[in-house]
Amino acid sequence: MPDIPKTVNLPSTEDIYLFHEGTNYRSYTMLGAHIAAEDGMKGVRFTVWAPHATYVGLAGNHNAWDGTLEEDSFIKIPDSGFWSRFFPGMEPGTFYKYRIIAADGESFLKADPFAFKSEVRPATASVVTDLSGYQWGDNQWRRRNKAPYNGPMNIYEMHFGTWKQKEDGEFYTYKEMAGLLIPYLVEMSYTHVEFMPLAEHPYDLSWGYQGTGYFAATSRYGEPQELMYLIDQLHQAGISVILDWVPAHFAKDAHGLRMFDGSPLYEYADPLLAEKPGWGTLSFDFSKPEIFSFLISNALFWYDVYHIDGMRVDAVTSMLRLDFEKQSHQYRRNVNGGLENLEAIRFIQQLNKTIFHYYPKALMMAEESSAWPGVTAPAHEGGLGFNYKWNMGWMNDTLGYIEHDFGGRPYHHNLLTFPIAYAYAENYTLPLSHDEVVHGKKSLLDKMPGTYEQKFAGLRLLLGYQISHPGKKLLFMGGEFGQFIEWKDQDQLDWLLLDYEAHRRMLAYTAALNKLYVTEKAMWELDHDLEGYQWIYADDNHQSVLSYIRRGKKPVDTLVIIANFQPVERKNYRIGVPRPGTYEEIFSSETAEFGGSGYHNGPMKSSKKEWHNQVNSLELTIPPLSFLVLKKAGRKPKAVLE
């Protein structure tokens, strides 16, 4: 084996040790392709982990994608599994792959697992890229950014390629999208935007959930610096950025991670552990410390380099459960005879501890669909260590309820009341996500029973119910204006619907509801505190009416919420109220500008009549399929009284 040349860019002994220990959390700084200057010459240093390979070389346009010549060959760093070489004179923009010869003599090409950019699909080469040089303008945002628990969080979930498209069907670039998306989010009063996966992926219809380039922002939408610009501008507009991240599995495409050096390297060697048959993908091998270094480095990379504020971690249940969506012959139990993936649990805990060590105010949000305990409990206490979990139970119960026709709703009233029983078991986000409006599930609007007008009233009610329920909020794009057809996942949203009055009014309603949410502290200040919620009357199943109280830290912020899930007006409806005085209807889904009847309850003075376990009560009219918010009127200024 030839001597290893002296160079400042060759991985150090310590870096290599930490990588194999599973604690090299910035391994992206040494692996992959890096612009460098060595021995007085500019060029590119390539380093790759391929411990079972007998040969690694660089293939590209410069050598007709051969990579087997001596001048293309890498040097193997002894006892490390790393191969590396500096190529003087090579420039950013160079397309490349690794020529790998496996132990059995098979020769093949692989994209760089640590590449910072990839060719535009369907091409699959990696691209030498310099990520430095972007001048960020979000320093003030990052300094002021706070932990999310006692603040508003209203997330707009979107698929970048199908939110809006150009007239010819082409995608907007990251930079172009900034001018379209940011004014919209600001006008709609969203606090966060969540992008479905932006890591490189070969197949559009995987939506990014079957990745091949974990460190490469997909080139479908432009250059890495353009994504930095988009995130920077979002921050300067006061909007936090959440990225969908997929550590559970990866695509089997030939140029990707599968059998990377001729043997199972990133995936389990045991097919019963590796295969995810429902998705046609492979699980990462969480028994390998090197996978910890790879994935945790990748998570930190998006925080470090792209300044994201949080991650929604996809498919956590599939990581935790060895039998996830498998038949009895398709999985293997753990060493204790259980069904938990003990290695994946350790990985998740280490991931979250590391992220919060470097980014204490980060969002780490689990898409976890089971009743796994302690998802948002600290890792050092035995929990998984996330700080938020998608409340899939609330989502399933709520959508199950609203899809019942009106006559059946009294018999399923528990679907609305039961979620409060576990609302404080974790730190929850309430998702109305992309998964619920695709593959024949219908759009939110089309799930609603009744006439055309009742469907819109029902959607206004659903969004009001969500916004006033304990927990943070998430809505998938299109729901805000009543997309009538489910998400088509290839074409842009049906923005043409805004030519119709009902959809324009639906959009105006969502904007007003979002503004109410960020304005009224009771909607979010005690989201994770039992003191923040109290039933007024939960058991009016015969009339399908719910009434409850949301509280902030100050009594003056208290709100009374009433939701009528039947297309029937309820006159002279009496509810108990927490304090005596005059109550005002500060928000109603029946406002005419939102498409409602225009009925409005005037100021309502309570009487000292016990009702619903309250000393005071009042009467009001509840319009059909309506969502109402009442607030006790404050004292008028002395000058007004005089």
Side-chain angles (χ1 to χ4, degrees):
M1 180 176 292
D3 292 337
I4 301 171
K6 292 180 180 180
T7 168
V8 297
N9 294 91
L10 199 67
S12 69
T13 302
E14 182 181 10
D15 283 340
I16 293 170
Y17 173 80
L18 293 175
F19 184 80
H20 292 307
E21 186 187 55
T23 58
N24 190 326
Y25 298 139
R26 298 279 181 8
S27 58
Y28 68 85
T29 63
M30 69 168 184
L31 284 153
H34 292 273
I35 311 297
E38 302 186 15
D39 297 328
M41 295 179 290
K42 292 182 179 180
V44 179
R45 163 67 61 177
F46 294 88
T47 305
V48 62
W49 178 51
H52 306 110
T54 60
Y55 174 89
V56 176
L58 188 71
N61 290 327
H62 66 286
N63 58 20
W65 297 95
D66 181 8
T68 59
L69 301 177
E70 183 177 353
E71 58 263 31
D72 303 320
S73 63
F74 287 17
I75 297 167
K76 188 173 186 179
I77 303 173
D79 304 317
S80 72
F82 286 81
W83 301 74
S84 189
R85 182 164 181 171
F86 177 70
F87 287 79
M90 189 166 284
E91 298 283 345
T94 302
F95 291 177
Y96 72 98
K97 284 186 178 179
Y98 296 129
R99 169 65 66 182
I100 295 177
I101 299 178
D104 63 1
E106 182 184 4
S107 177
F108 47 86
L109 293 172
K110 287 287 187 179
D112 185 351
F114 283 82
F116 296 146
K117 184 182 176 184
S118 299
E119 274 189 286
V120 179
R121 51 84 178 105
T124 57
S126 301
V127 184
V128 175
T129 305
D130 185 359
L131 293 182
S132 65
Y134 179 80
Q135 298 299 311
W136 288 88
D138 65 346
N139 290 337
Q140 188 176 40
W141 164 266
R142 298 190 99 193
R143 285 196 303 270
R144 291 182 176 179
N145 197 18
K146 298 179 181 178
Y149 308 108
N150 298 321
M153 189 193 303
N154 191 8
I155 305 165
Y156 188 71
E157 183 194 27
M158 63 175 286
H159 179 259
F160 197 97
T162 58
W163 185 69
K164 279 188 179 179
Q165 296 172 355
K166 298 179 181 180
E167 288 187 7
D168 59 1
E170 290 297 310
F171 299 133
Y172 285 101
T173 66
Y174 297 116
K175 190 168 187 178
E176 291 168 338
M177 187 64 81
L180 300 171
L181 177 64
I182 295 172
Y184 185 78
L185 295 176
V186 171
E187 179 68 22
M188 294 297 294
S189 295
Y190 284 104
T191 63
H192 296 62
V193 62
E194 178 184 313
F195 294 116
M196 291 167 68
L198 292 178
E200 195 58 79
H201 53 284
Y203 185 47
D204 286 4
L205 295 184
S206 77
W207 312 335
Y209 291 103
Q210 297 183 14
T212 49
Y214 274 68
F215 291 83
T218 179
S219 54
R220 285 169 175 79
Y221 313 127
E223 298 295 319
Q225 284 78 7
E226 291 185 292
L227 177 55
M228 295 176 193
Y229 174 83
L230 172 60
I231 294 173
D232 191 7
Q233 293 300 306
L234 283 161
H235 285 169
Q236 292 184 48
I239 298 167
S240 297
V241 178
I242 301 170
L243 184 65
D244 225 333
W245 187 61
V246 191
H249 60 135
F250 57 87
K252 291 183 177 181
D253 295 65
H255 69 283
L257 300 178
R258 178 180 178 271
M259 298 287 287
F260 183 78
D261 61 359
S263 64
L265 185 64
Y266 288 87
E267 71 271 32
Y268 285 102
D270 183 347
L272 294 182
L273 297 173
E275 293 287 343
K276 291 193 180 294
W279 298 333
T281 56
L282 293 170
S283 171
F284 283 99
D285 182 354
F286 296 109
S287 70
K288 290 191 178 87
E290 294 86 354
I291 297 303
F292 281 47
S293 289
F294 175 78
L295 285 173
I296 296 176
S297 290
N298 182 241
L300 277 174
F301 167 82
W302 291 101
Y303 284 97
D304 290 346
V305 176
Y306 286 96
H307 288 202
I308 67 166
D309 302 288
M311 286 181 155
R312 178 263 194 185
V313 181
D314 179 64
V316 171
T317 312
S318 78
M319 301 168 69
L320 298 172
R321 299 281 306 189
L322 295 167
D323 62 339
F324 179 79
E325 293 187 356
K326 291 184 177 182
Q327 303 296 320
S328 58
H329 64 283
Q330 294 177 317
Y331 64 85
R332 191 182 308 286
R333 292 179 177 270
N334 65 33
V335 293
N336 301 322
L339 293 172
E340 307 86 1
N341 187 330
L342 302 176
E343 299 151 353
I345 293 169
R346 286 195 293 272
F347 163 75
I348 291 169
Q349 291 173 326
Q350 190 60 38
L351 164 72
N352 286 319
K353 284 192 287 188
T354 305
I355 294 298
F356 290 122
H357 172 76
Y358 291 106
Y359 293 94
K361 299 172 184 177
L363 277 168
M364 290 297 288
M365 192 174 294
E367 190 242 346
E368 202 287 304
S369 56
S370 74
W372 192 277
V375 173
T376 59
H380 66 268
E381 295 179 4
L384 295 183
F386 293 98
N387 57 357
Y388 277 92
K389 172 182 174 176
W390 272 22
N391 193 336
M392 311 293 276
W394 175 89
M395 180 190 71
N396 291 327
D397 286 350
T398 301
L399 294 181
Y401 177 85
I402 64 104
E403 290 185 82
H404 281 291
D405 60 34
F406 301 124
R409 286 183 173 182
Y411 305 101
H412 299 279
H413 194 71
N414 64 300
L415 294 176
L416 295 178
T417 58
F418 179 64
I420 289 296
Y422 58 84
Y424 299 97
E426 305 274 6
N427 293 336
Y428 280 124
T429 295
L430 311 180
L432 294 172
S433 72
H434 67 275
D435 278 326
E436 305 315 309
V437 294
V438 73
H439 296 329
K441 293 183 181 180
K442 299 183 180 181
S443 69
L444 292 180
L445 182 65
D446 203 20
K447 292 178 191 288
M448 304 296 162
T451 65
Y452 181 81
E453 292 77 12
Q454 287 170 341
K455 284 180 178 290
F456 280 95
L459 181 54
R460 294 195 301 270
L461 172 57
L462 171 64
L463 298 185
Y465 172 65
Q466 179 200 33
I467 216 81
S468 62
H469 194 283
K472 308 308 181 185
K473 328 297 175 190
L474 177 143
L475 180 67
F476 183 58
M477 64 182 195
E480 74 274 19
F481 63 81
Q483 173 90 4
F484 223 120
I485 300 173
E486 66 177 24
W487 179 42
K488 291 169 285 187
D489 76 8
Q490 296 183 71
D491 302 323
Q492 71 170 0
L493 294 177
D494 291 331
W495 296 102
L496 56 86
L497 291 174
L498 294 178
D499 292 339
Y500 298 89
E501 186 176 52
H503 294 275
R504 289 198 304 273
R505 287 177 168 179
M506 186 69 226
L507 186 67
Y509 172 78
T510 307
L513 184 67
N514 290 349
K515 189 171 184 179
L516 174 82
Y517 171 74
V518 296
T519 302
E520 295 293 336
K521 294 181 179 180
M523 292 288 196
W524 40 262
E525 202 167 41
L526 297 178
D527 258 334
H528 312 304
D529 189 324
L530 286 167
E531 295 299 315
Y533 185 93
Q534 180 184 345
W535 282 115
I536 294 175
Y537 191 46
D539 300 327
D540 193 0
N541 61 298
H542 298 295
Q543 298 187 92
S544 302
V545 174
L546 291 180
S547 52
Y548 45 94
I549 297 167
R550 290 303 310 273
R551 291 190 176 90
K553 293 180 179 178
K554 297 179 181 178
V556 70
D557 295 323
T558 300
L559 302 176
V560 171
I561 314 293
I562 305 159
N564 178 9
F565 289 89
Q566 289 292 347
V568 179
E569 183 180 69
R570 307 297 182 190
K571 291 186 177 181
N572 304 121
Y573 193 92
R574 182 169 290 276
I575 63 167
V577 290
R579 292 189 296 159
T582 299
Y583 284 76
E584 296 177 339
E585 187 180 271
I586 65 167
F587 191 86
S588 170
S589 64
E590 278 297 284
T591 300
E593 66 182 272
F594 304 149
S597 65
Y599 182 86
H600 178 74
N601 286 284
M604 296 157 279
K605 191 171 183 179
S606 69
S607 60
K608 197 168 185 179
K609 184 174 183 179
E610 290 190 21
W611 209 261
H612 298 150
N613 296 316
Q614 302 288 337
V615 175
N616 302 279
S617 61
L618 56 80
E619 282 188 351
L620 74 163
T621 295
I622 312 175
L625 295 172
S626 65
F627 168 76
L628 307 179
V629 181
L630 311 183
K631 190 173 186 180
K632 186 175 179 293
R635 290 184 178 180
K636 293 183 179 180
K638 185 176 181 181
V640 174
L641 292 174
E642 293 175 347

